[in-house]
Amino acid sequence: MARKISVKQAINEALDLEMRRDPTVIVLGEDIVGGAGAPGEIDAWGGVLGVTKGLHAKHGNRLIDTPLSESAYIGAAIGAAACGMRPVAELMFLDFMGVCFDQILNQAAKFKYMFGGKAKTPVVIRAMVGAGFRAAAQHSQMLTPMFTHVPGLKVVCPSNAYDAKGLLIQAIRDDDPVIFCEHKNLYGLEWDVPAESYAIPFGEANVMREGEDVTIVSYGLTVHRALEAADTLAKGGVQAEVIDLRTLSPIDWDTVIESVENTGRLVVVDEANPRCSIAGDIAAHVAQNAFGALKAAPQMVTAPHTPVPFSPVLEDLYIPSSDAIVAAVNKTTARALAA
Amino acid sequence: MNERIKPIVMPKWGLSMSEGKVTGWLKSAGAKIAVGDEIVEVETDKIAGVVEAGDAGTLRRVLGEPDTIYPVKALIGIIAADDVPDGEIDAYVAEYASHAADESEEEEAAPRYEFVDTPAGRLRYAKRGDGEQVIILIHGFGGDLDNWLFNIDALAEACTVYALDLPGHGQSDKAVREASLKGLSDAVTGFMDALGISLAHLVGHSMGGAIAAQTALDHPDRVSSITLIGSAGLGAEINSGYTDGFVAATSRRDLKPVLEQLFHDPATVTRQLVDDLLKYKRLDGVDEALRALSSALFPGGRQSVVLAEALMAASTPALVIWGESDRVIPAAHAAALGDRARAEVISGAGHMVQMEKAGRVNDLVIAHIKA
């Protein structure tokens, strides 16, 4: 039965349902229980923003509070996965991946390949991404391109609660390591979500809005900026098709190419920094595979190539805005008219 | 309100519809309108459809702007006789807005869906109307009660109407305890028992038609009549490309061409319709339920149960309705009951004839029940 719940509730519900369904699913991370063991403090936090709140009461010691030692517990999660468990490790902020990147890059991502398919690593690493939370340069980065670059990893970044629940359930059931990126500014966004379990397959983009004049490709928070931009553009008679990638690895090239072949124009929106980004990847792929369909040069709307600013004013300017997306679309149509 | 003036309003197609977009007028202002004429095209977040005239006259006002969204029951046009003065029509339009607002408040108080526990599991249903006679609407394979979104309110003007989600479908429990026609028929009688319905007219579409027929054969004392719409159970042929394709489809790209086979006009299949079905198909348990039913009822591309002979010998009044361009079950099956049942084959409609030609189907069902 569908009802409206937030992205945060959807993630909590996905974890709860999968822990009920499969006894090998465990959850570990810093403060995911919060003060466990101290009188009156059990289940006080549920993680830094309360996403796992309530799960300890339901599943007890299958939720494990870890020390502040990412390299140790991410490694432990990967090892447990290789030994038959299905761990979900919470890395808090994806920015903290630096200290445990070897475990992810050189171990988890490569086990299946290096052991000829005889080993599998069904681990999910959940982490918050993105700016706009006044958390400054070390807690606000959109590091999705760094993981998408690594073969062997699957990378997911939902834009709404329905997708968050279905993609996380798929991630937990998947036999490969999955980096599950949760934009912290989406946690409160409510959406229609069935109470039942369901899994959304990876590699299937979602066409959020159909249009024939321009294709706007995005993921995560900026999908909503793209939809705002599409509303603005529609008032001026430009119909934008808005594609939410949902998963960055695997990525649904077919939907992107099919759309561009229909519209002839491409704008990619990515909150990551512009160099070697998802935006650059998509623009290059489309230029290589659908050049003949393009009526104008693909445009990228990204964050600037700087760390996330501490100043609230600058931070708001940092995230791609709907106005910037409209301007990029106008650039593609103006160039087409000039031609 | 002036009874010589007949409003054309944004229809309510289905219990969840709150607004719709006028996509284009099929008649111009000043055109003569006969009952049943297709007047205006409307698109909802579920499906695109056509509003048919319920009254005859002249199209005196075209109020709904193309590509504009209006709430359900918003006034989008006026039909009236030529001798009704323009001033009366203008006054009617001005008065309409407050009248509609009162009605909408009353409607919002009614529950959209209800649930009931039965031996076949927890089933979702919708109930409309309060007439003495009872109709139960039974959807087809992979469908749900929203398949009746163009019918439920119209039929409720004559009867009390129940539309249920079968086990394994819609928002009912996904476990199908007995994947057979008999098992689904028992689910329907279990539904009737749970709601205290002793006698009902069963209206079934596709697989739902075969379920209605099976129920009438097994429990003739509980079934006043059957209406079989594009029904299974009247012949062996079935388009396995559709049934197998529906079961196998896991993406929008796979599912859309499959769903287009359901309609005479493939453009009826909107993005939202495909997305809603995908959301249903991805629920845990649905895949197993659909596979179990498909292998039990349509193994090897044939219908495993043909009830035509038994129905010929039975006494329950029957009506058969088919879409002429049905690409799932051939329209030739409409003649399977011979003189035993009235058979109507409707042109310009496919397998989802109750959606594509809703006005005609509703009229036929009501006439059949009243007879």
Side-chain angles (χ1 to χ4, degrees), chain B residues 156-213:
Chain B
E157 288 176 14
C159 302
T160 301
V161 183
Y162 292 87
L164 80 159
D165 286 345
L166 291 165
H169 291 75
Q171 292 181 21
S172 291
D173 279 356
K174 298 302 173 293
V176 179
R177 297 179 188 185
E178 190 186 334
S180 68
L181 217 47
K182 175 73 169 54
L184 294 175
S185 170
D186 289 347
V188 171
T189 50
F191 173 77
M192 293 171 71
D193 293 341
L195 293 176
I197 303 167
S198 54
L199 189 64
H201 300 271
L202 301 185
V203 178
H205 172 245
S206 195
M207 180 183 78
I211 296 167

Coordinates of all heavy atoms in Angstrom, one line a residue, chain B residues 156-213:
Chain B
A156 N -22.3 2.6 -10.7 CA -22.8 2.8 -9.3 C -24.1 3.7 -9.3 O -24.8 3.8 -8.3 CB -21.7 3.5 -8.5
E157 N -24.4 4.3 -10.5 CA -25.6 5.1 -10.5 C -26.8 4.1 -10.6 O -27.9 4.5 -10.2 CB -25.6 6.0 -11.8 CG -24.6 7.1 -11.6 CD -24.5 8.0 -12.9 OE1 -25.4 7.9 -13.8 OE2 -23.6 8.8 -12.9
A158 N -26.6 2.9 -10.9 CA -27.7 1.9 -11.0 C -27.6 0.9 -9.9 O -28.7 0.3 -9.6 CB -27.7 1.2 -12.4
C159 N -26.5 0.6 -9.4 CA -26.3 -0.6 -8.5 C -25.3 -0.2 -7.4 O -24.6 0.8 -7.5 CB -25.8 -1.8 -9.2 SG -26.7 -2.3 -10.6
T160 N -25.1 -1.1 -6.4 CA -24.0 -1.1 -5.5 C -22.9 -1.8 -6.2 O -23.0 -3.0 -6.6 CB -24.3 -1.7 -4.2 OG1 -25.4 -1.1 -3.6 CG2 -23.1 -1.7 -3.3
V161 N -21.7 -1.1 -6.4 CA -20.6 -1.7 -7.1 C -19.4 -2.0 -6.2 O -19.0 -1.1 -5.5 CB -20.2 -0.8 -8.3 CG1 -19.1 -1.4 -9.1 CG2 -21.4 -0.5 -9.2
Y162 N -18.9 -3.2 -6.3 CA -17.7 -3.5 -5.7 C -16.6 -3.9 -6.8 O -17.0 -4.6 -7.7 CB -17.8 -4.8 -4.8 CG -18.7 -4.6 -3.6 CD1 -20.1 -4.8 -3.7 CD2 -18.1 -4.2 -2.3 CE1 -20.9 -4.6 -2.5 CE2 -18.9 -4.1 -1.2 CZ -20.3 -4.3 -1.3 OH -21.1 -4.1 -0.2
A163 N -15.4 -3.4 -6.6 CA -14.3 -3.8 -7.5 C -13.2 -4.2 -6.6 O -12.9 -3.5 -5.6 CB -13.9 -2.6 -8.3
L164 N -12.7 -5.4 -6.8 CA -11.7 -6.0 -5.9 C -10.4 -6.2 -6.6 O -10.3 -6.3 -7.9 CB -12.2 -7.3 -5.3 CG -12.1 -8.6 -6.1 CD1 -12.1 -9.8 -5.2 CD2 -13.2 -8.7 -7.1
D165 N -9.3 -6.2 -5.9 CA -8.0 -6.7 -6.4 C -8.0 -8.2 -6.0 O -8.1 -8.6 -4.9 CB -6.9 -6.0 -5.6 CG -6.7 -4.6 -6.1 OD1 -7.2 -4.2 -7.2 OD2 -6.0 -3.8 -5.4
L166 N -7.8 -9.0 -7.0 CA -7.7 -10.5 -6.8 C -6.4 -10.8 -6.0 O -5.4 -9.9 -6.0 CB -7.6 -11.2 -8.2 CG -8.9 -11.2 -9.0 CD1 -8.6 -11.6 -10.4 CD2 -9.9 -12.1 -8.3
P167 N -6.3 -11.9 -5.4 CA -5.0 -12.3 -4.7 C -3.9 -12.2 -5.7 O -4.0 -12.6 -6.9 CB -5.3 -13.7 -4.3 CG -6.8 -13.9 -4.2 CD -7.3 -12.9 -5.2
G168 N -2.7 -11.7 -5.3 CA -1.6 -11.6 -6.1 C -1.6 -10.3 -7.0 O -0.7 -10.1 -7.8
H169 N -2.6 -9.5 -6.9 CA -2.8 -8.4 -7.7 C -3.0 -7.1 -6.9 O -3.5 -7.2 -5.8 CB -4.0 -8.6 -8.7 CG -3.7 -9.6 -9.7 ND1 -3.8 -11.0 -9.4 CD2 -3.5 -9.5 -11.0 CE1 -3.5 -11.7 -10.5 NE2 -3.3 -10.8 -11.5
G170 N -2.7 -6.0 -7.6 CA -3.0 -4.6 -7.0 C -2.4 -4.5 -5.6 O -1.2 -4.8 -5.4
Q171 N -3.3 -4.2 -4.6 CA -2.8 -4.0 -3.2 C -3.3 -5.1 -2.3 O -3.2 -5.0 -1.1 CB -3.2 -2.6 -2.7 CG -2.4 -1.5 -3.4 CD -2.8 -0.2 -2.9 OE1 -3.3 0.0 -1.8 NE2 -2.6 0.9 -3.7
S172 N -3.8 -6.2 -2.9 CA -4.2 -7.4 -2.1 C -2.9 -8.2 -1.8 O -1.8 -8.0 -2.3 CB -5.1 -8.3 -2.9 OG -6.4 -7.6 -3.1
D173 N -3.1 -9.1 -0.8 CA -2.0 -10.0 -0.5 C -1.4 -10.7 -1.8 O -2.2 -11.0 -2.7 CB -2.4 -11.1 0.5 CG -2.5 -10.6 1.9 OD1 -2.1 -9.4 2.1 OD2 -2.9 -11.4 2.8
K174 N -0.1 -10.8 -1.8 CA 0.5 -11.3 -3.0 C 0.6 -12.8 -3.1 O 0.8 -13.3 -4.2 CB 2.0 -10.7 -3.1 CG 2.0 -9.2 -3.2 CD 1.2 -8.7 -4.4 CE 1.1 -7.2 -4.4 NZ 0.3 -6.6 -3.3
A175 N 0.4 -13.5 -2.0 CA 0.4 -14.9 -2.1 C -0.9 -15.4 -2.7 O -2.0 -15.1 -2.3 CB 0.5 -15.5 -0.7
V176 N -0.8 -16.2 -3.8 CA -1.9 -16.9 -4.4 C -2.0 -18.3 -3.9 O -1.2 -19.1 -4.2 CB -1.8 -16.9 -5.9 CG1 -3.1 -17.5 -6.5 CG2 -1.7 -15.4 -6.4
R177 N -2.9 -18.6 -3.0 CA -2.9 -19.9 -2.3 C -3.2 -21.0 -3.2 O -2.7 -22.1 -3.0 CB -3.9 -19.8 -1.1 CG -3.4 -18.7 -0.1 CD -4.2 -18.5 1.1 NE -3.7 -17.3 1.8 CZ -4.2 -16.9 3.0 NH1 -5.1 -17.6 3.6 NH2 -3.7 -15.8 3.5
E178 N -4.1 -20.8 -4.2 CA -4.4 -21.9 -5.2 C -4.4 -21.2 -6.5 O -5.4 -20.5 -6.9 CB -5.7 -22.5 -4.8 CG -5.9 -23.8 -5.7 CD -7.3 -24.4 -5.5 OE1 -7.9 -24.2 -4.4 OE2 -7.8 -25.0 -6.5
A179 N -3.3 -21.4 -7.3 CA -3.2 -20.7 -8.6 C -4.0 -21.5 -9.6 O -3.5 -22.3 -10.4 CB -1.7 -20.6 -9.0
S180 N -5.3 -21.3 -9.6 CA -6.2 -22.0 -10.6 C -7.4 -21.1 -10.7 O -7.7 -20.3 -9.9 CB -6.5 -23.4 -10.2 OG -7.4 -23.3 -9.0
L181 N -8.2 -21.4 -11.8 CA -9.5 -20.7 -11.9 C -10.4 -21.0 -10.7 O -11.1 -20.1 -10.2 CB -10.2 -21.2 -13.2 CG -10.9 -20.2 -14.0 CD1 -10.2 -18.9 -14.2 CD2 -11.3 -20.8 -15.3
K182 N -10.4 -22.2 -10.2 CA -11.2 -22.6 -9.1 C -10.7 -21.8 -7.8 O -11.5 -21.3 -7.1 CB -11.0 -24.1 -8.9 CG -11.7 -24.7 -7.6 CD -13.2 -24.7 -7.8 CE -13.9 -25.5 -6.7 NZ -13.6 -25.1 -5.4
G183 N -9.4 -21.7 -7.7 CA -8.9 -21.0 -6.5 C -9.3 -19.5 -6.5 O -9.6 -19.0 -5.5
L184 N -9.2 -18.9 -7.7 CA -9.6 -17.5 -7.8 C -11.1 -17.3 -7.7 O -11.6 -16.3 -7.1 CB -9.1 -16.9 -9.1 CG -7.6 -16.9 -9.3 CD1 -7.2 -16.4 -10.7 CD2 -7.0 -15.9 -8.3
S185 N -11.9 -18.3 -8.2 CA -13.3 -18.2 -8.0 C -13.6 -18.3 -6.5 O -14.5 -17.6 -6.0 CB -13.9 -19.4 -8.8 OG -15.3 -19.5 -8.4
D186 N -12.9 -19.2 -5.8 CA -13.2 -19.3 -4.3 C -12.8 -18.0 -3.6 O -13.4 -17.7 -2.6 CB -12.3 -20.5 -3.8 CG -12.8 -21.9 -4.2 OD1 -14.0 -21.9 -4.7 OD2 -12.1 -22.9 -4.0
A187 N -11.8 -17.4 -4.2 CA -11.4 -16.1 -3.6 C -12.6 -15.1 -3.7 O -12.8 -14.3 -2.8 CB -10.1 -15.5 -4.2
V188 N -13.2 -15.1 -4.9 CA -14.4 -14.2 -5.1 C -15.5 -14.5 -4.1 O -16.1 -13.6 -3.5 CB -14.8 -14.2 -6.5 CG1 -16.1 -13.4 -6.7 CG2 -13.7 -13.6 -7.4
T189 N -15.9 -15.8 -4.0 CA -17.0 -16.2 -3.1 C -16.6 -15.9 -1.6 O -17.4 -15.5 -0.8 CB -17.4 -17.6 -3.3 OG1 -16.3 -18.5 -3.2 CG2 -18.1 -17.8 -4.6
G190 N -15.3 -16.1 -1.3 CA -14.8 -15.7 0.0 C -14.9 -14.2 0.3 O -15.3 -13.8 1.4
F191 N -14.6 -13.4 -0.8 CA -14.8 -12.0 -0.7 C -16.3 -11.7 -0.4 O -16.6 -10.8 0.4 CB -14.3 -11.4 -2.0 CG -14.6 -9.9 -2.2 CD1 -13.8 -9.0 -1.5 CD2 -15.6 -9.4 -3.0 CE1 -14.0 -7.6 -1.7 CE2 -15.8 -8.1 -3.2 CZ -15.0 -7.2 -2.5
M192 N -17.2 -12.3 -1.1 CA -18.6 -12.1 -1.0 C -19.1 -12.5 0.5 O -19.8 -11.7 1.1 CB -19.4 -12.9 -2.0 CG -19.2 -12.5 -3.4 SD -20.0 -13.6 -4.7 CE -21.7 -13.3 -4.4
D193 N -18.5 -13.6 0.9 CA -18.9 -14.0 2.3 C -18.4 -13.0 3.3 O -19.2 -12.6 4.2 CB -18.2 -15.4 2.6 CG -18.8 -16.5 1.8 OD1 -19.9 -16.3 1.2 OD2 -18.1 -17.6 1.6
A194 N -17.2 -12.5 3.2 CA -16.6 -11.6 4.1 C -17.4 -10.3 4.2 O -17.5 -9.7 5.3 CB -15.2 -11.4 3.8
L195 N -18.0 -9.9 3.1 CA -18.7 -8.6 3.0 C -20.2 -8.8 3.1 O -21.0 -7.9 3.0 CB -18.4 -7.9 1.8 CG -17.0 -7.4 1.7 CD1 -16.7 -6.7 0.3 CD2 -16.6 -6.4 2.8
G196 N -20.7 -10.1 3.3 CA -22.1 -10.4 3.5 C -22.9 -10.2 2.2 O -24.1 -9.8 2.3
I197 N -22.3 -10.4 1.1 CA -23.0 -10.3 -0.2 C -23.5 -11.7 -0.6 O -22.7 -12.6 -0.9 CB -22.0 -9.8 -1.3 CG1 -21.4 -8.5 -0.9 CG2 -22.8 -9.7 -2.6 CD1 -20.2 -8.0 -1.8
S198 N -24.8 -11.9 -0.6 CA -25.3 -13.2 -0.8 C -25.5 -13.5 -2.3 O -25.4 -14.6 -2.8 CB -26.6 -13.5 -0.1 OG -27.5 -12.4 -0.4
L199 N -25.8 -12.4 -3.1 CA -26.1 -12.5 -4.5 C -25.5 -11.3 -5.3 O -25.6 -10.2 -4.8 CB -27.6 -12.5 -4.6 CG -28.2 -12.9 -6.0 CD1 -27.9 -14.3 -6.4 CD2 -29.7 -12.7 -5.9
A200 N -24.9 -11.6 -6.4 CA -24.3 -10.5 -7.1 C -24.3 -10.8 -8.6 O -24.3 -11.9 -9.1 CB -22.9 -10.2 -6.6
H201 N -24.3 -9.7 -9.4 CA -24.0 -9.8 -10.8 C -22.5 -9.7 -11.0 O -21.8 -8.7 -10.4 CB -24.6 -8.6 -11.6 CG -26.1 -8.5 -11.5 ND1 -26.9 -9.1 -12.3 CD2 -26.9 -7.9 -10.6 CE1 -28.2 -8.9 -12.0 NE2 -28.2 -8.1 -10.9
L202 N -21.9 -10.7 -11.6 CA -20.4 -10.7 -11.8 C -20.0 -10.1 -13.2 O -20.5 -10.6 -14.2 CB -19.9 -12.1 -11.6 CG -20.2 -12.7 -10.2 CD1 -19.4 -14.1 -10.1 CD2 -19.8 -11.8 -9.1
V203 N -19.2 -9.2 -13.2 CA -18.7 -8.6 -14.4 C -17.2 -8.8 -14.5 O -16.5 -8.3 -13.6 CB -19.0 -7.1 -14.5 CG1 -18.4 -6.5 -15.8 CG2 -20.5 -6.8 -14.4
G204 N -16.7 -9.6 -15.4 CA -15.3 -10.0 -15.4 C -14.6 -9.6 -16.7 O -15.3 -9.8 -17.8
H205 N -13.4 -9.2 -16.6 CA -12.6 -8.8 -17.8 C -11.5 -9.8 -18.0 O -10.8 -10.1 -17.0 CB -12.1 -7.4 -17.7 CG -11.1 -7.1 -18.8 ND1 -9.8 -6.9 -18.6 CD2 -11.3 -7.0 -20.2 CE1 -9.2 -6.6 -19.7 NE2 -10.1 -6.7 -20.7
S206 N -11.3 -10.4 -19.2 CA -10.2 -11.3 -19.5 C -10.2 -12.5 -18.5 O -11.2 -13.2 -18.4 CB -8.9 -10.5 -19.5 OG -7.9 -11.2 -20.1
M207 N -9.1 -12.7 -17.8 CA -9.1 -13.8 -16.8 C -10.3 -13.6 -15.8 O -10.8 -14.6 -15.3 CB -7.8 -13.7 -16.0 CG -7.6 -14.8 -15.0 SD -6.0 -14.7 -14.1 CE -6.4 -13.3 -13.0
G208 N -10.6 -12.4 -15.5 CA -11.7 -12.1 -14.5 C -13.1 -12.6 -15.1 O -13.9 -13.0 -14.3
G209 N -13.2 -12.7 -16.4 CA -14.4 -13.2 -17.0 C -14.5 -14.7 -16.8 O -15.6 -15.2 -16.4
A210 N -13.4 -15.4 -16.9 CA -13.4 -16.8 -16.7 C -13.6 -17.1 -15.2 O -14.3 -18.1 -14.9 CB -12.0 -17.4 -17.1
I211 N -13.2 -16.2 -14.3 CA -13.4 -16.4 -12.9 C -14.9 -16.2 -12.6 O -15.6 -17.0 -11.9 CB -12.6 -15.4 -12.1 CG1 -11.1 -15.7 -12.2 CG2 -13.0 -15.5 -10.6 CD1 -10.2 -14.6 -11.7
A212 N -15.5 -15.2 -13.3 CA -17.0 -15.0 -13.1 C -17.7 -16.2 -13.6 O -18.7 -16.7 -12.9 CB -17.4 -13.7 -13.9
A213 N -17.3 -16.7 -14.8 CA -18.0 -17.9 -15.3 C -17.9 -19.1 -14.4 O -18.9 -19.8 -14.2 CB -17.5 -18.2 -16.7

